[in-house]
Amino acid sequence: MSDDPLLSVSGLHKYFTQNDGFIDRLLGADETVKAVNGVSFDIERGETLGLVGESGSGKSTTARSVLRLDEPTKGTVSYDGTDLTALSDREMTEMRKRIQIVFQDPASSLNRRKTVGQIIKQPMEIHGLYEGERDARVDELMETVGLPPQYSNRYPHEFSGGQRQRVGIARALAVDPDFIVADEPVSALDVSIQAQILNLLEDLQEEFDLTLLFIAHDLSVIRHVCDRVAVMYLGEIVELADADELFSNPQHPYTRALLGAIPQPVPELARQRQVLEGEVPSPLDPPSGCSFNPRCPEATEECTSIDPTLDDVAGATGGHKAACIHVDEFETGAGVPSAAQGVDERFSIENFDAEPTLATDGRGRDQGRGDDDR
Amino acid sequence: MSAEPDEQPVLEIRDLVTRFYTDEGTVKAVDGSSFDLYEGETLGIVGESGSGKSVTALSMLQLVDAPGRIEGGSVRYRGDDLLEKSEAEMRSIRGNDIAMMFQDPMTSLNPVFTVGDQISRVIKTHQDVSDAAARERTIELMADVGIPEPTSRVDNYPHQFSGGMRQRALLAMAISCEPDVLIADEPTTALDVTIETQIFNVLDKLQEKYGMSIILITHDLGVVAGTCDRVAVAYGGRVVERAGVDALFENPRHPYTRGLMRSIPRLTDDTDRLTPVKGDVPNLTDLPSGCSFHPRCPHATAECESYDPELREVEPGREAACLHARGYNLSKSALETEGVQADGGSPATPATDGGESQ
C-alpha cells in the first residue's frame, strides 16, 4: 500500500430511516436500515477496486455515498487529500469534474429526448469545459468508445444495449475525470456483448490513467477487471484482498461459500456447486454478533455475540484482510482451481475445424456470390 | 438422466415459426426452430436477447398474443400436435400436462391474494378437490419447494416473501398438478447466485420425485452446465446447435457457440483480455441473409451470405447448423441445388473481405 491513495474511505456509514407515514412518526415507530455500516478502504491511483456482494449487501449505497449522491451518515471520504463529506454543494459540483459514474442500465440512464451527441456534450456544458471545441470532442469521444461519430444525431433508442453503454461511458469521459465509479456496467448486457464493454473499460483505463471503483455481483466479471476486491455482506466489508489472492485463497467463510455457489461454465465443476442455505437477513433486523453467523457453516456460539472487525490475516501477504473470528491463520486453497488449459486456446478461432469438403475440394469463395442465382 | 436418442421424445418441435406483425415490420421471433425433449431429462435452451427462446416456449403452449402469430411447424406432445388443439383442449393441457414457470416472481404473483390461495386455485382448476384438501396439498407443495414453516406462510401475501421465496412459490404452483413437462423461463435471472443455487437444487429434487421432463430457458451458460442433460443453442430465432451438455462444453461445433464460450468471463481463468463476439445481436425484424450469424462469424465465407444452413447431424447425438462445422457434410452438388454458386477456386476466406464482390 502506498501512503498516497487517490481515494480513502474511512468508517463510512449510511443509514436510511424508514417510517411508513404520519402515524408511524407519531408513534415513534422509526426503523433504521444500516445500509452501509462502517466501511473503510483505499483505492490506489490507477488501480481498479472491485466491490462485490449479493443484493442488499450495500455495495451500490457505498458507491453512492462516496460520490455523495446519498449523503453519508458518518465517516470520511478523502479524495486526493480533500474530505468530500466536508465540501459545500458548490465545491462538490466542482469536484465532479474529476469523479464520474457509469450506471448499470444504459436504457434508463440516458435521456431519451436528447441525441447521444447532446448527452455526451452535457457534462462539458455543466462544468463550462471545452468551450468552442465541444462538438469536435463529442466526435472524438464517440470514436474512443467505438461508436461512429456520424451517429451523434441519433437518439438512444436507435442504439443497441451495448452501444448505449458505450454512450454512457463516453459521457463519463467527457470531462476528463481521474476516477470513475462503474456500477454494474455490464449486468444488463448480453453475454457476447459484455466482453466488448469490459475490454473497452480496460483500454480506457490505460489510455486515460483512470482509477476505477467497479461494482458487480458477478465474481467472474470482477476477476477479469479488478486488481483488488472487497467482498460485502449486509453493509460491511467481510474480506479485502488482491484479486488473484482472493480467488485462490479466500479466507472468509462467506467468500468461500459465494465462490462455491457460482455455476461455472464447465459441466463437471458446475455440478459440484455448493449450496449456501438461507438468505441475506433483513437489514432492519440484522443478526447479533457477526451478521453472517446464521448462514455460516463455521459459526460457533461466540459468533452470535462478537462482531468481528476487518483485520489483517496473520501470515498473509499484500494486505489481505478478513472479518471473522475463526480466521486466525492464513490458509491456502479453498479457492477456485485455475483451468489447466486457457479458454482462448480451447475454443480459439484457429482451432475451429473447418469442414474439409468446403475447404479442400477446389471450391470455396465465389466471386459472383449466390444472390443472383436466387 | 441422459436420454437415449432412439427413445420416443416427450416433445418434438419441428420447424416452428412465430412472427409478430408490428408497425416497425415483421419480427421473425421464431424462425424454424426444431428440438426434442426426452423423458426425465432437462433440456437447456440457451440464447441471448432476440434469440427467440422465450417466444418458442410461449408458442409451444399457444400463448402467443396478437400481433404475434404461430405460422408453421408442429409441436408434438406424446404424438399429438399441440398446434392443432382448440383453446379448451389447451386449457386442460396447460398446467396439468405441461406447466410453465415465468421469469419474474414480482409480476407473476397477484399481490392481493395470499400465496396459499394462488397455489390452491391452480390445484382446484385442474382437480376436483375440497378447499381443505387443496390447502393441505398446498402446504405439502410449499414444503416440497423448501419454503420454511409452510403452515403459517401459506397465509402470507407475496410482499411478505423474499424474491427467492416468491420464486419457490411459483415453482410450487407450476408443479401443483404434477405436470409431465415443466418449462422454466429464466427462473433465477432476478436472483442472487446463492439463491439461484438453492432453487436449482430444489428443482433437481422435484424432478426426481415427480419424474418431470424440464425445459430450462436461460442466457447463462453456467446454469446450463450445472443443470442440463442436453442443450439447444438458439440464435436469430432458431436452434443452431444441439448436443449433450458435456460434448457441447468440451467441443462446441457452431461458431456462435464457440464465440460465446470464448467471450464469457470465467472464474478459473484470469487472463485480462476477453475475446468478444464481434458485432451486435441481430435485429429480428431484419435478419441477415443466408446464415444469420454470418456478419459476426470469423469463419464465414461467401456461401454463408446466401446459403441458410439447416440443423444437421454432425455426429451421432449432435447437430449443428453451419456449413463449416466439422461433420456437416453438405456436398457441393447439394449446395448448387440450393442455388448457391460455390465455384470460385480460391479457398474459403472470411466474409470480412468478401464484401467487395457485391
Side-chain angles (χ1 to χ4, degrees):
Chain A
M1 294 295 99
S2 81
D3 295 331
D4 181 30
L6 181 66
L7 184 82
S8 181
V9 175
S10 173
L12 188 71
H13 291 71
K14 176 63 193 175
Y15 298 167
F16 292 102
T17 305
Q18 174 183 324
N19 45 24
D20 283 321
F22 175 68
I23 304 287
D24 282 346
R25 250 171 286 155
L26 212 62
L27 297 173
D30 280 10
E31 287 184 289
T32 302
V33 175
K34 298 178 176 173
V36 178
N37 199 10
V39 160
S40 304
F41 58 85
D42 289 348
I43 306 182
E44 303 297 325
R45 289 164 204 277
E47 90 167 336
T48 303
L49 177 75
L51 217 48
V52 68
E54 299 180 271
S55 48
S57 63
K59 54 190 191 302
S60 285
T61 311
T62 300
R64 294 180 60 85
S65 304
V66 165
L67 298 178
R68 283 184 57 196
L69 297 173
D70 287 328
E71 284 299 331
T73 309
K74 227 176 10 185
T76 57
V77 177
S78 165
Y79 181 82
D80 207 7
T82 309
D83 183 4
L84 299 184
T85 59
L87 296 183
S88 68
D89 286 353
R90 183 190 284 173
E91 289 167 327
M92 191 62 212
T93 305
E94 191 65 13
M95 203 49 134
R96 293 215 163 94
K97 278 183 210 168
R98 303 181 57 189
I99 308 174
Q100 287 287 311
I101 183 164
V102 174
F103 293 99
Q104 168 175 0
D105 183 2
S108 59
S109 63
L110 302 178
N111 187 337
R112 65 184 68 198
R113 290 164 192 279
K114 292 194 163 151
T115 65
V116 302
Q118 289 170 325
I119 290 170
I120 297 170
K121 204 192 295 180
Q122 195 175 33
M124 298 185 253
E125 290 165 353
I126 290 172
H127 292 290
L129 297 169
Y130 304 101
E131 187 89 57
E133 44 183 311
R134 286 176 192 153
D135 289 322
R137 185 162 167 81
V138 166
D139 288 358
E140 188 189 313
L141 285 162
M142 287 185 72
E143 218 154 318
T144 307
V145 299
L147 292 170
Q150 63 267 30
Y151 288 1
S152 66
N153 289 328
R154 299 193 181 185
Y155 289 88
H157 75 266
E158 298 175 78
F159 292 86
S160 68
Q163 289 172 323
R164 279 196 289 252
Q165 195 55 290
R166 290 174 193 269
V167 174
I169 293 169
R171 174 177 60 183
L173 291 174
V175 295
D176 195 18
D178 321 310
F179 179 59
I180 289 185
V181 173
D183 188 359
E184 300 269 13
V186 297
S187 52
L189 303 178
D190 272 313
V191 197
S192 70
I193 308 301
Q194 279 192 5
Q196 298 176 358
I197 299 297
L198 293 175
N199 282 349
L200 174 67
L201 282 171
E202 198 123 2
D203 292 344
L204 297 174
Q205 177 165 32
E206 196 153 313
E207 191 175 341
F208 299 107
D209 277 328
L210 296 168
T211 304
L212 286 177
L213 175 59
F214 192 99
I215 299 162
H217 67 281
D218 185 336
L219 280 156
S220 319
V221 168
I222 290 275
R223 163 136 230 194
H224 278 268
V225 177
C226 301
D227 303 310
R228 281 192 309 134
V229 181
V231 181
M232 289 192 71
Y233 190 79
L234 216 60
E236 292 170 359
I237 293 177
V238 297
E239 186 160 4
L240 180 65
D242 284 343
D244 287 344
E245 180 66 21
L246 188 95
F247 287 98
S248 344
N249 305 311
Q251 301 296 307
H252 196 283
Y254 176 63
T255 314
R256 290 180 180 180
L258 201 55
L259 286 172
I262 295 172
Q264 299 187 45
V266 179
E268 62 268 30
L269 295 179
R271 289 186 199 116
Q272 293 164 19
R273 64 188 191 268
Q274 303 293 310
V275 178
L276 173 63
E277 294 297 347
E279 300 187 347
V280 180
S282 162
L284 280 172
D285 183 21
S288 63
C290 167
S291 52
F292 186 56
N293 87 71
R295 300 175 80 188
C296 183
E298 320 267 332
T300 55
E301 190 63 41
E302 298 129 291
C303 297
T304 59
S305 55
I306 304 172
D307 188 3
T309 49
L310 186 68
D311 293 321
D312 286 323
V313 179
T317 49
H320 196 146
K321 293 177 199 289
C324 172
I325 57 169
H326 296 296
V327 175
D328 27 46
E329 186 85 321
F330 180 71
E331 284 173 31
T332 54
V336 185
S338 267
Q341 195 185 14
V343 170
D344 259 10
E345 204 182 319
R346 258 179 73 192
F347 307 118
S348 72
I349 292 168
E350 292 73 38
N351 253 347
F352 179 70
D353 296 294
E355 169 52 44
T357 55
L358 279 174
T360 57
D361 69 352
R363 294 178 298 104
R365 177 167 153 236
D366 66 311
Q367 297 303 318
R369 188 89 43 77
D371 305 26
D372 29 46
D373 295 320
R374 288 251 173 198
Chain B
M1 285 294 280
S2 204
E4 299 301 317
D6 50 322
E7 200 183 308
Q8 188 60 28
V10 180
L11 270 170
E12 211 177 339
I13 287 85
R14 287 291 171 274
D15 305 318
L16 187 64
V17 176
T18 302
R19 293 192 173 138
F20 288 80
Y21 293 91
T22 70
D23 295 341
E24 279 87 43
T26 305
V27 181
K28 295 178 177 171
V30 184
D31 190 31
S33 207
S34 300
F35 55 91
D36 301 313
L37 176 70
Y38 290 95
E39 194 82 54
E41 76 166 350
T42 301
L43 170 75
I45 301 184
V46 65
E48 301 180 275
S49 58
S51 63
K53 54 194 195 301
S54 292
V55 180
T56 302
L58 294 172
S59 304
M60 286 162 59
L61 290 174
Q62 283 194 45
L63 287 172
V64 179
D65 289 329
R69 259 203 332 251
I70 302 168
E71 301 207 318
S74 60
V75 178
R76 298 205 170 271
Y77 169 62
R78 301 208 177 270
D80 276 358
D81 189 354
L82 295 183
L83 298 184
E84 283 167 11
K85 301 272 182 205
S86 69
E87 179 55 27
E89 287 170 314
M90 280 313 292
R91 230 172 295 159
S92 77
I93 289 169
R94 287 183 212 128
N96 216 5
D97 297 309
I98 306 177
M100 187 147 177
M101 180 178 167
F102 293 96
Q103 191 167 155
D104 188 355
M106 301 296 227
T107 55
S108 304
L109 287 168
N110 188 331
V112 302
F113 295 103
T114 66
V115 172
D117 272 350
Q118 297 183 58
I119 301 172
S120 302
R121 195 165 316 151
V122 178
I123 298 172
K124 293 185 69 185
T125 306
H126 291 286
Q127 292 166 16
D128 185 22
V129 291
S130 68
D131 287 357
R135 185 181 163 90
E136 201 170 305
R137 176 76 184 128
T138 297
I139 292 171
E140 196 185 314
L141 283 164
M142 287 174 71
D144 267 352
V145 297
I147 295 175
E149 301 160 46
T151 42
S152 63
R153 302 215 69 172
V154 67
D155 296 317
N156 280 177
Y157 288 87
H159 76 267
Q160 295 169 291
F161 274 43
S162 66
M165 287 302 151
R166 278 188 213 129
Q167 198 53 275
R168 285 171 200 260
L170 285 183
L171 183 55
M173 212 181 283
I175 61 159
S176 59
C177 298
E178 303 186 16
D180 202 11
V181 176
L182 173 68
I183 304 174
D185 186 1
E186 301 270 14
T188 58
T189 303
L191 303 175
D192 278 318
V193 61
T194 61
I195 309 299
E196 172 178 272
T197 311
Q198 293 173 3
I199 300 277
F200 281 121
N201 256 37
V202 169
L203 206 54
D204 275 355
K205 285 192 192 119
L206 293 172
Q207 184 169 32
E208 206 160 298
K209 179 167 176 182
Y210 295 106
M212 293 180 292
S213 313
I214 298 177
I215 295 180
L216 177 70
I217 297 170
T218 179
H219 68 282
D220 186 332
L221 284 166
V223 164
V224 169
T227 327
C228 299
D229 301 305
R230 286 189 319 119
V231 189
V233 181
Y235 189 84
R238 62 174 69 172
V239 173
V240 296
E241 179 159 11
R242 286 206 282 170
V245 68
D246 292 295
L248 187 88
F249 282 84
E250 184 54 40
N251 183 15
R253 289 285 173 89
H254 195 283
Y256 172 62
T257 319
R258 297 178 69 84
L260 277 185
M261 297 279 181
R262 272 197 304 276
S263 68
I264 41 175
R266 290 164 187 259
L267 273 184
T268 48
D269 198 73
D270 61 354
T271 48
D272 284 341
R273 207 77 201 156
L274 294 163
T275 318
V277 182
K278 66 176 179 182
D280 235 315
V281 290
N283 180 346
L284 292 174
T285 55
D286 186 21
L287 282 173
S289 65
C291 167
S292 57
F293 186 58
H294 88 258
R296 306 179 73 189
C297 182
H299 309 290
T301 57
E303 290 95 339
C304 302
E305 292 170 44
S306 53
Y307 184 72
D308 186 3
E310 79 275 27
L311 199 61
R312 285 174 152 240
E313 189 165 79
V314 290
E315 84 181 32
R318 64 184 302 182
E319 292 163 79
C322 170
L323 276 180
H324 301 295
R326 179 152 57 86
Y328 197 91
N329 294 313
L330 192 67
S331 68
K332 179 183 167 186
S333 54
L335 259 185
E336 278 165 359
T337 322
E338 292 286 337
V340 177
Q341 190 195 321
D343 277 305
S346 63
T349 354
T352 40
D353 51 28
E356 81 282 353
S357 55
Q358 196 56 273

